[in-house]
Amino acid sequence: MTEHASEFSQHTDVLIIGAGVSGIGLAYYLQRDQPNKQFTILESRQDIGGTWDLFRYPGIRSDSDLYTFGYEFKPWKSPKAIADAGTIMDYLREAVDENQLKKKIRFNSKVISANWSSQDAHWKVEIQNTETGKRHVMTASWLFSAAGYYNYEQGFMPEFNGRDNFKGQIIHPQHWPEDLDYQGKKVVVIGSGATAVTLVPAMAEKAQHVTMLQRTPTYVVSLPTEDPIANLIKKIFPEALAYKMIRSKNINLSRWWWRFCQRFPNAARKLIRAGTKKLLPENYPVDTHFNPPYNPWDQRLCAVTDGDLFESVSNGDASIVTDHIDTFTEKGLLLKSGKELEADIIITATGLNVQLFGGIDYRVDNKPIQYRDTVAYKSLMLSGVPNFAYAIGYTNSSWTLKIGLICEHLCRIMQHMTETQQDVCQADLPDPDMPTRPLLDFGAGYVQRVIDTLPRRGMTAPWDVAMDYKVDEKNLRHGPVTDECLHFYKKEGYAAQHIDTTSAKQESREAIA
């Protein structure tokens, strides 16, 4: 049953789906740049933060520096450049409180479906209260998806042979039990990504021993928890100027490093290997456990703080095994090599399930949107989908760097629509046979598993998805809002050109019913 709830406005100018880093960011920019626009944030959970509220495993922290991961409009004040989830949540709560955004957030509000009506030039959004199960309807002129890129309800779990044989606990980091007792236990962490390299040293502090079992090595680099240059700059210069200087420094350093890895992959591999070898015991088999078969930045590099993973391995609290699982046994794991790993607890840090736009049933005039048939426009819209924008960050740098530029540009689009008295904005391909390529040139397993279902990207701007802050800054912050591919309409004009008569009749029947 669907009903209208009194606490919801029936219509809003902009509906933001998700109160994580991206959703809070857009809310700030709307208040700053579009003060006359009404907006509401829908959050399916009971708190803000998205990823940082969801994951509760030991040691969870950022793998990007917070001077670039933090918002451009809110200086990062902590001396820690790499911060834990609790500190990041405090920062986000401050951003919400300082900008009076909490009154705009509707918690426990899960979006089930969203249908664009060309007849009415708005989105009709069905929302479920996650506490009561009741459903409500809102309409919005614009939708902004800040719902993340993965399934919050279920992480990726490979089919493990003999899994039911194991008598201990099997845990996915996405669903961490608050009361898990691993004191003095033997723990095996399956995986080699960011979660695994974070979990191993954190759990090694209490566990009897932690083994990281990886099928394929990952590049792991050590970063200092505190940035001494940043902290010195903060002592010398005023807060706002210091933050701008540090942010610029870190943006340029990360761009330089990524470009160096792309241009000189063998040299980059040697540098990373030398740094790794230096932090491990003499004669440690570095090439067995830390020498991936791919080049640096073909997948995201893993960062560990102050070398904590290497320290845990060096002092014997943790170990790394590179092998394949044959089967689970009662006492642990039997590997393809014949080696057995005993465990009381097995952690499956095996990755995420990519899920676009919160898994919401998006439609245009009742027709489901086939994402694989759309092309990304300026990294913020999809071809053929009106008044819809989304948040996507960088795979080779801090996620939030791109989010800020996307939000600014979206506000500029809205300003243009206000000034020209237009109701609808839609990006359209200049040629339906325009050459395209996969949305992301990224080798991570969680991306490759779904790459054929994702939107595509073009070969050049505005249809390319840039992974370079300076390129995006030029195009999104300083570049023009309008171009030959972005079309604007008044409500009646859009309906006349785009409405499908069959869908219109169907909508009318549903409205009467």
Side-chain angles (χ1 to χ4, degrees):
M1 177 180 180
T2 300
E3 60 183 46
H4 291 283
S6 59
E7 70 267 23
F8 284 87
S9 299
Q10 189 172 350
H11 180 82
T12 189
D13 296 319
V14 185
L15 196 58
I16 302 171
I17 303 172
V21 173
S22 303
I24 294 168
L26 179 61
Y28 168 83
Y29 286 104
L30 283 172
Q31 280 195 165
R32 188 191 75 176
D33 299 342
Q34 294 291 302
N36 294 324
K37 286 281 191 290
Q38 298 297 313
F39 67 88
T40 300
I41 306 174
L42 299 179
E43 172 54 55
S44 63
R45 299 172 60 78
Q46 296 178 349
D47 202 352
I48 65 166
T51 292
W52 302 107
D53 177 58
L54 174 67
F55 285 94
R56 304 294 177 92
Y57 60 81
I60 178 170
R61 52 165 172 74
S62 67
D63 63 352
S64 301
D65 74 277
L66 267 296
Y67 298 105
T68 55
F69 187 85
Y71 298 117
E72 186 172 17
F73 61 81
K74 179 174 171 54
W76 178 255
K77 299 178 182 179
S78 170
K80 293 183 177 180
I82 306 293
D84 59 78
T87 307
I88 295 172
M89 283 293 290
D90 290 342
Y91 174 82
L92 293 175
R93 290 192 180 101
E94 284 181 7
V96 168
D97 292 342
E98 289 167 2
N99 296 284
Q100 296 82 50
L101 295 175
K102 195 160 188 178
K103 61 187 177 184
K104 299 286 190 178
I105 305 173
R106 301 290 181 261
F107 294 105
N108 302 307
S109 299
K110 182 178 182 179
V111 176
I112 304 300
S113 64
N115 182 46
W116 168 263
S117 168
S118 295
Q119 181 76 45
D120 301 315
H122 68 212
W123 288 92
K124 182 180 179 182
V125 183
E126 187 175 20
I127 305 144
Q128 183 177 49
N129 185 304
T130 56
E131 291 185 320
T132 66
K134 291 182 179 180
R135 295 194 176 190
H136 322 288
V137 169
M138 289 183 70
T139 57
S141 301
W142 272 89
L143 284 190
F144 183 77
S145 176
Y149 61 94
Y150 63 90
N151 188 328
Y152 273 46
E153 297 177 5
Q154 185 62 56
F156 177 67
M157 180 71 77
E159 290 293 328
F160 288 118
N161 185 37
R163 173 177 170 155
D164 293 339
N165 295 332
F166 183 57
K167 301 302 182 183
Q169 291 177 276
I170 301 176
I171 296 165
H172 194 286
Q174 197 164 320
H175 306 285
W176 196 268
E178 291 185 11
D179 59 350
L180 180 66
D181 179 16
Y182 55 91
Q183 180 80 42
K185 303 286 182 66
K186 288 178 284 187
V187 179
V188 172
V189 177
I190 302 173
S192 59
T195 301
V197 301
T198 301
L199 269 169
V200 170
M203 297 188 74
E205 295 176 5
K206 294 182 181 179
Q208 178 183 330
H209 189 81
V210 181
T211 302
M212 187 172 92
L213 172 61
Q214 60 182 9
R215 184 174 55 185
T216 307
T218 300
Y219 291 106
V220 182
V221 296
S222 177
L223 296 177
T225 301
E226 297 190 13
D227 179 343
I229 297 175
N231 289 340
L232 178 61
I233 290 173
K234 286 194 286 187
K235 289 180 181 179
I236 298 173
F237 297 96
E239 181 179 83
L241 177 59
Y243 185 56
K244 185 176 182 179
M245 292 171 65
I246 298 165
R247 190 176 169 88
S248 178
K249 169 184 78 73
N250 290 1
I251 288 171
N252 288 323
L253 278 175
S254 65
R255 288 182 72 241
W256 173 86
W257 173 238
W258 184 80
R259 288 181 167 208
F260 178 83
C261 289
Q262 296 293 297
R263 188 171 180 182
F264 306 107
N266 291 332
R269 181 190 289 266
K270 290 178 181 178
L271 280 173
I272 296 171
R273 185 186 183 278
T276 300
K277 185 177 180 181
K278 186 178 179 180
L279 295 171
L280 288 166
E282 189 176 356
N283 299 321
Y284 185 86
V286 174
D287 291 328
T288 300
H289 303 309
F290 292 100
N291 187 20
Y294 53 85
N295 288 328
W297 278 117
D298 283 354
Q299 297 186 30
R300 194 174 177 95
L301 272 63
C302 287
V304 296
T305 53
D306 301 322
D308 57 3
L309 174 68
F310 304 117
E311 183 179 346
S312 295
V313 170
S314 298
N315 63 27
D317 292 335
S319 57
I320 298 175
V321 174
T322 303
D323 208 329
H324 289 70
I325 296 171
D326 182 27
T327 185
F328 277 56
T329 66
E330 288 189 9
K331 295 183 178 180
L333 297 165
L334 176 63
L335 307 181
K336 295 282 189 180
S337 64
K339 183 177 181 177
E340 293 186 53
L341 294 178
E342 289 192 3
D344 301 301
I345 301 170
I346 295 177
I347 311 297
T348 55
T350 45
L352 308 167
N353 277 322
V354 171
Q355 178 178 264
L356 279 185
F357 312 134
I360 295 164
D361 178 16
Y362 280 103
R363 297 170 180 252
V364 172
D365 292 327
N366 297 311
K367 294 179 180 178
I369 298 173
Q370 302 297 328
Y371 299 119
R372 65 179 179 272
D373 297 330
T374 65
V375 182
Y377 172 82
K378 289 186 178 178
S379 301
L380 64 88
M381 297 180 70
L382 297 177
S383 60
V385 183
N387 288 20
F388 175 80
Y390 60 90
I392 185 171
Y394 294 119
T395 58
N396 61 353
S397 188
S398 291
W399 180 267
T400 326
L401 278 176
K402 192 177 185 98
I403 300 303
L405 295 174
I406 285 172
C407 294
E408 283 186 14
H409 195 78
L410 180 58
C411 288
R412 292 176 64 203
I413 290 174
M414 292 179 182
Q415 183 61 31
H416 174 79
M417 293 175 71
T418 299
E419 292 172 353
T420 57
Q421 298 182 340
Q422 303 295 319
D423 303 306
V424 182
C425 171
Q426 180 172 301
D428 294 300
L429 297 176
D431 179 349
D433 297 321
M434 183 186 82
T436 62
R437 51 182 169 161
L439 181 69
L440 299 172
D441 183 17
F442 199 53
Y446 63 89
V447 172
Q448 293 304 311
R449 285 193 293 270
V450 298
I451 195 69
D452 292 336
T453 68
L454 302 180
R456 306 279 292 176
R457 62 171 167 151
M459 311 303 288
T460 58
W463 299 102
D464 193 13
V465 177
M467 286 293 157
D468 188 317
Y469 178 80
K470 294 297 183 181
V471 171
D472 278 332
E473 186 180 39
K474 177 184 176 182
N475 293 334
L476 297 178
R477 176 171 288 169
H478 303 299
V481 169
T482 59
D483 60 41
E484 62 182 8
C485 299
L486 194 62
H487 300 129
F488 299 90
Y489 307 85
K490 291 189 183 298
K491 175 181 174 181
E492 297 78 9
Y494 184 86
Q497 290 192 39
H498 294 84
I499 196 164
D500 182 287
T501 55
T502 303
S503 297
K505 291 176 182 178
Q506 173 73 16
E507 269 194 11
S508 297
R509 285 195 294 270
E510 289 178 356
I512 294 170

